[in-house]
Amino acid sequence: MLANAPALAANPSPFVMPGAANAIAPRLGATPEPMREDDALHSRLIAARLALVAESVEVQRRVLRLDGRVYQAGMRFTHLFVINTGVFKVVTLSPDGREQIVGLKFRGDWLGFDGIADGQHDCDAIAMDTGEVWAIPYAALLQAGAARPALLGALHEAMSREISRDRNSLMSICTLPADARVADFLRNWAHALARRGLRTDQITMRMTRAEIGNYLGVTLETVSRGLSRLARCGLIEFADKGRREIRIPHVEALSAFVQECLSPVASPVLQ
Amino acid sequence: MLANAPALAANPSPFVMPGAANAIAPRLGATPEPMREDDALHSRLIAARLALVAESVEVQRRVLRLDGRVYQAGMRFTHLFVINTGVFKVVTLSPDGREQIVGLKFRGDWLGFDGIADGQHDCDAIAMDTGEVWAIPYAALLQAGAARPALLGALHEAMSREISRDRNSLMSICTLPADARVADFLRNWAHALARRGLRTDQITMRMTRAEIGNYLGVTLETVSRGLSRLARCGLIEFADKGRREIRIPHVEALSAFVQECLSPVASPVLQ
DNA sequence: CGCTACGTTGATAGGGCTCAAGTAGCGTGG
DNA sequence: CCACGCTACTTGAGCCCTATCAACGTAGCG
């Protein structure tokens, strides 16, 4: 995931510490190709929203490490959370034990909306690496929102966007074959990073194949095969060590791959 | 293809007409078994929320017939909508033409949240029979909400609940085999009706098999086979005429069926 | 250095898709 | 009133995609 300075093999996470200068999230790395217009705009918007929250309400900064829970199903709902750094997964657990990753959240995204309706969370929010969230007392947020409409607007926008994104995930899962889901997943992941000012041509998967598969509704073997095929097609490249680091030369090519999966016309590039 | 004047002949739909007395939604039918405690509570809550909206803001009542659009993707977002009567589907269309039903909405549910984030709707909300929605100007809602916290609370609760429900759908689609999805779908449908004070032992599918399949991520043939199998197992019964009317003797049995699908232990009742 | 978790790849089986044929309900027009 | 066409639904047959099972390779770590 990250804009690691490629040389620093030891700790490649850009989310090293909260409060660091990377709140601005400059694009690092050896090949600092310019950020796309649209991405730069989004990056500024995200920063602006974070600033709005920070100056409107008293937030409590909470640092979480790998597998740390922001909240868990069953907990009483009192706070919403905004992600400052890190990546988080939202996991629901059914009564019979099925587990499902229902969302992946990045800097600027909110966590905890599920708790509003019943005053109780119905899923877990779990850190996928070291990260920082800002805890916002819901009551305080509403109070501040009354005086400052922009704050309420940001809240509503975040909830609306979450609804829209969840629907897009559902669409992918329902209409795409397995390999296309993997490609679409990488495309979305790269897109999310790009809009946060991070480089997208070199990303480190913080998710296991099993987690990706769970999120996409396929098995881990299918994810592995999908990634191998994408690599064979030249759409992605694995770094030398380990198979967690992925280079995506051309993100747009992933979209084309998804389309090719949908149209039965055989393409020579497709194995 | 329009809202045929609802088949003047046998029309057992509980969603007969907007504005009719069924806004209170009494349980109809020959066997008026008492409503469950929990359902009765929910029914009152839904009515209370509708009343809150109606008395807090100036709503515009809009009657829609079969296939009528409450809003469409691309339209500028100006209003939210609350369903008074009828059933609505929310459909997203991908750039390449894939179509996906991403939600089913009933009395008391809200429509239009997707438009808040970008000021533009990114899906269609379509009536599945004759129904009535209340259009609420978003700006007016926010204004009224500032003076009346309960109104804002209802809005947030509705958005929160939508997020939670969408996640449950995702869980079903990702973790259940096809037949179990069909059973789970019927269970949820019956549950939604029950919480609105409608009888659940005799329901009329307003959706085609193709629509159900689209919603569940399977083909229409698979839905048909699933329903046939449920009928063979005695979990549902088809009415004499047509295969749209379904009786569900014991809704709880559907839950058990889902569990049986998940555990490989063979059960004699399973064909 | 063995242990464990993670990842890849192959073989096989099966669930669901595709294709196809047949039926039923319903509106239309003769 | 029936023929007709249309749409929706059911059911069967065959195949393909993906799950399952299994073996093996690799990285990280105490």
Side-chain angles (χ1 to χ4, degrees):
Chain A
M1 66 185 206
L2 355 143
N4 46 341
L8 290 179
N11 177 12
S13 170
F15 305 109
V16 277
M17 260 296 116
N22 73 343
I24 312 300
R27 194 175 282 250
L28 305 173
T31 56
E33 69 283 348
M35 207 184 299
R36 285 186 47 241
E37 270 303 315
D38 188 60
D39 294 337
L41 176 66
H42 273 281
S43 184
R44 279 196 298 273
L45 280 175
I46 289 171
R49 286 199 296 261
L50 281 166
L52 172 67
V53 168
E55 71 193 23
S56 300
V57 297
E58 186 93 17
V59 306
Q60 178 195 347
R61 295 174 168 240
R62 269 176 59 187
V63 175
L64 292 115
R65 306 169 71 97
L66 176 65
D67 287 331
R69 314 288 157 120
V70 181
Y71 59 82
Q72 295 192 53
M75 276 179 53
R76 199 162 72 85
F77 165 75
T78 55
H79 293 69
L80 287 173
F81 306 88
V82 182
I83 300 173
N84 182 35
T85 61
V87 182
F88 294 77
K89 61 179 174 183
V90 180
V91 182
T92 73
L93 191 70
S94 75
D96 50 81
R98 286 170 289 148
E99 202 173 315
Q100 180 64 43
I101 299 178
V102 295
L104 297 172
K105 305 292 175 181
F106 301 84
R107 169 178 158 83
D109 290 334
W110 294 58
L111 294 169
F113 292 143
D114 55 278
I116 294 176
D118 292 320
Q120 183 173 321
H121 290 288
D122 64 358
C123 58
D124 298 3
I126 305 174
M128 305 193 72
D129 55 33
T130 300
E132 183 192 272
V133 297
W134 296 349
I136 309 164
Y138 182 56
L141 180 68
L142 291 182
Q143 201 166 3
R148 195 192 273 254
L151 183 61
L152 214 53
L155 170 66
H156 293 167
E157 182 194 325
M159 297 183 85
S160 169
R161 208 172 290 284
E162 169 144 357
I163 289 170
S164 289
R165 265 208 294 262
D166 289 353
R167 288 173 178 171
N168 282 331
S169 294
L170 187 66
M171 156 96 77
S172 292
I173 288 170
C174 281
T175 64
L176 295 183
D179 285 0
R181 285 186 218 179
V182 174
D184 197 55
F185 165 76
L186 290 176
R187 192 182 58 73
N188 283 323
W189 188 281
H191 192 219
L193 294 187
R195 291 191 316 191
R196 283 156 182 87
L198 304 166
R199 61 182 306 185
T200 62
D201 56 341
Q202 176 97 42
I203 66 183
T204 303
M205 277 293 118
R206 276 286 187 305
M207 303 174 74
T208 66
R209 303 295 192 250
E211 284 176 316
I212 298 172
N214 179 286
Y215 180 57
L216 299 178
V218 296
T219 60
L220 65 93
E221 293 94 334
T222 298
V223 173
S224 181
R225 279 185 248 267
L227 289 173
S228 294
R229 187 148 91 97
L230 288 174
R232 234 181 295 128
C233 295
L235 292 173
I236 65 173
E237 295 166 19
F238 288 110
D240 306 327
K241 294 262 178 189
R243 308 209 67 175
R244 287 280 186 105
E245 297 218 351
I246 295 176
R247 275 187 27 87
I248 305 179
H250 301 290
V251 177
E252 310 76 27
L254 291 173
S255 304
F257 179 84
V258 172
Q259 295 309 312
E260 283 165 10
C261 288
L262 290 172
S263 51
V265 289
S267 162
V269 79
L270 283 178
Q271 173 70 310
Chain B
M1 149 182 229
L2 293 201
N4 35 359
L8 304 171
N11 176 15
S13 170
F15 306 109
V16 276
M17 258 292 119
N22 72 342
I24 313 302
R27 198 173 281 252
L28 306 172
T31 56
E33 70 282 348
M35 208 184 300
R36 286 186 47 239
E37 270 304 315
D38 187 60
D39 293 337
L41 176 66
H42 272 281
S43 185
R44 278 195 299 274
L45 280 176
I46 288 172
R49 286 199 296 261
L50 282 165
L52 172 66
V53 168
E55 70 194 22
S56 300
V57 295
E58 185 93 18
V59 305
Q60 177 196 346
R61 295 174 168 241
R62 270 176 59 186
V63 175
L64 291 113
R65 305 166 73 98
L66 176 64
D67 286 331
R69 314 288 157 119
V70 181
Y71 59 83
Q72 295 192 52
M75 275 178 54
R76 199 161 73 84
F77 166 74
T78 55
H79 292 70
L80 287 173
F81 306 87
V82 181
I83 300 173
N84 182 37
T85 60
V87 183
F88 294 78
K89 61 180 173 183
V90 180
V91 181
T92 74
L93 191 69
S94 74
D96 49 82
R98 285 170 289 148
E99 203 173 314
Q100 180 64 43
I101 298 177
V102 294
L104 297 172
K105 305 293 173 179
F106 301 84
R107 169 178 158 82
D109 291 335
W110 294 58
L111 295 169
F113 292 143
D114 54 277
I116 294 176
D118 292 320
Q120 182 172 321
H121 290 289
D122 64 358
C123 59
D124 299 3
I126 306 175
M128 305 194 73
D129 56 34
T130 299
E132 184 192 271
V133 297
W134 296 348
I136 309 164
Y138 181 57
L141 179 69
L142 291 182
Q143 201 166 3
R148 194 193 274 254
L151 184 61
L152 215 52
L155 170 66
H156 294 168
E157 181 194 325
M159 296 183 85
S160 170
R161 208 172 291 284
E162 169 144 358
I163 290 171
S164 290
R165 265 209 293 262
D166 288 354
R167 288 173 178 170
N168 282 332
S169 295
L170 188 66
M171 157 96 77
S172 293
I173 287 170
C174 282
T175 65
L176 295 182
D179 285 0
R181 287 186 216 178
V182 174
D184 197 55
F185 165 76
L186 290 176
R187 193 182 56 74
N188 283 322
W189 188 281
H191 192 221
L193 294 185
R195 290 192 315 192
R196 283 157 182 86
L198 304 166
R199 61 181 305 184
T200 62
D201 56 341
Q202 176 96 43
I203 65 183
T204 303
M205 277 293 117
R206 277 287 186 305
M207 302 175 75
T208 65
R209 304 295 192 251
E211 284 176 316
I212 298 172
N214 179 287
Y215 181 57
L216 299 178
V218 297
T219 60
L220 65 92
E221 292 94 333
T222 298
V223 173
S224 181
R225 279 184 251 267
L227 289 172
S228 294
R229 186 149 91 99
L230 288 174
R232 233 181 294 128
C233 296
L235 293 173
I236 65 173
E237 295 167 19
F238 289 109
D240 306 327
K241 295 262 179 190
R243 308 209 63 170
R244 288 279 186 106
E245 298 219 351
I246 295 177
R247 273 186 28 87
I248 305 179
H250 303 290
V251 177
E252 310 76 27
L254 291 174
S255 304
F257 179 84
V258 172
Q259 295 308 313
E260 283 166 10
C261 287
L262 289 172
S263 49
V265 290
S267 162
V269 79
L270 284 180
Q271 173 69 312

